[in-house]
Amino acid sequence: MILPILHYPDSRLRTVAKIVETVDDAVRTLVKDMFETMYQAPGIGLAATQIDHHQRIIVIDISEDKNQPLCLINPEIIEKDGEILWEEGCLSVPDYYQCVKRANQVKVRALNEQGETFELEADELLGICIQHEIDHIDGILFVDHLSKLKQKRLLEKTKKANK
Ligand code: GNR
Ligand code: NI
């Protein structure tokens, strides 16, 4: 099922998501719907927050052929290193792209769809995407990393577009 994506400046995007206590069939159904929603958008990542589900679940697929789905439940960054600047976009902030500074390498610990713990090391686009999605489940948007002036301009542009 394809779910509607919340758009900035919707205050529901500011919700801090709750830890998933049990990875059950309800969680797996949500993960399936998140992949469907992400692929059809299309995007390379999606956080549950963006579809107004406030549990710590993210899905990612940065592959060209959209055949490398990655699901992270309760993800935690346990190591980070280096810096990288990358032009980011967000399905919740349509038609807006800006460079953001992130860690270049991250090590993340999470649960998979079976509820098993795993660790993953990622850099460049995958690392950036993981950080962008973990921000979402903490109620943070990539635009929060920009200057106050850029944020003000974006808000004005968004208000005009929604008039
Ligand atoms: O589709 C997406 N592309 C993207 C490009 C650069 C940095 C981050 C991203 S994530 C984004 C999808 C999205 O909004 N996920 O929350
Ligand atoms: Ni996003």
Side-chain angles (χ1 to χ4, degrees):
M1 191 169 65
I2 289 160
L3 302 164
I5 295 174
L6 300 177
H7 285 171
Y8 172 86
D10 194 312
S11 61
R12 290 172 289 182
L13 288 167
R14 299 313 187 172
T15 312
V16 178
K18 294 206 162 73
I19 293 275
V20 174
E21 297 291 351
T22 354
V23 181
D24 54 16
D25 284 345
V27 169
R28 282 184 282 269
T29 300
L30 180 60
V31 168
K32 190 166 165 280
D33 291 344
M34 286 173 63
F35 275 116
E36 226 180 298
T37 304
M38 176 187 81
Y39 285 129
Q40 89 97 39
I44 58 168
L46 187 76
T49 310
Q50 293 176 278
I51 49 154
D52 204 22
H53 280 255
H54 303 288
Q55 296 190 85
R56 304 187 74 81
I57 304 171
I58 70 183
V59 297
I60 293 175
D61 191 340
I62 62 157
S63 71
E64 198 98 330
D65 298 332
K66 301 289 167 209
N67 58 0
Q68 287 173 48
L70 177 65
C71 168
L72 298 145
I73 299 170
N74 300 338
E76 281 179 275
I77 290 176
I78 51 177
E79 279 175 41
K80 53 166 91 181
D81 196 35
E83 273 182 7
I84 188 168
L85 266 179
W86 201 281
E87 186 171 77
E88 298 194 15
C90 181
L91 295 170
S92 295
V93 192
D95 308 313
Y96 189 73
Y97 305 89
Q98 290 287 341
C99 274
V100 175
K101 199 200 288 176
R102 304 268 187 193
N104 182 33
Q105 275 198 309
V106 294
K107 189 169 173 180
V108 59
R109 183 180 295 146
L111 302 179
N112 64 17
E113 291 174 71
Q114 265 44 259
E116 299 153 349
T117 301
F118 69 103
E119 286 179 10
L120 177 72
E121 281 187 66
D123 63 0
E124 299 197 323
L125 184 57
L126 181 58
I128 288 159
C129 194
I130 289 170
Q131 293 171 79
H132 176 116
E133 305 311 337
I134 293 178
D135 267 2
H136 274 304
I137 57 177
D138 284 324
I140 298 164
L141 295 170
F142 85 97
V143 303
D144 300 347
H145 297 289
L146 305 175
S147 70
K148 284 279 167 290
L149 178 60
K150 279 189 175 146
Q151 292 186 40
K152 182 165 163 264
R153 285 189 188 137
L154 171 63
L155 203 53
E156 281 162 3
K157 179 183 114 136
T158 307
K159 279 182 191 153
K160 260 185 205 154
N162 294 340
K163 247 207 299 215

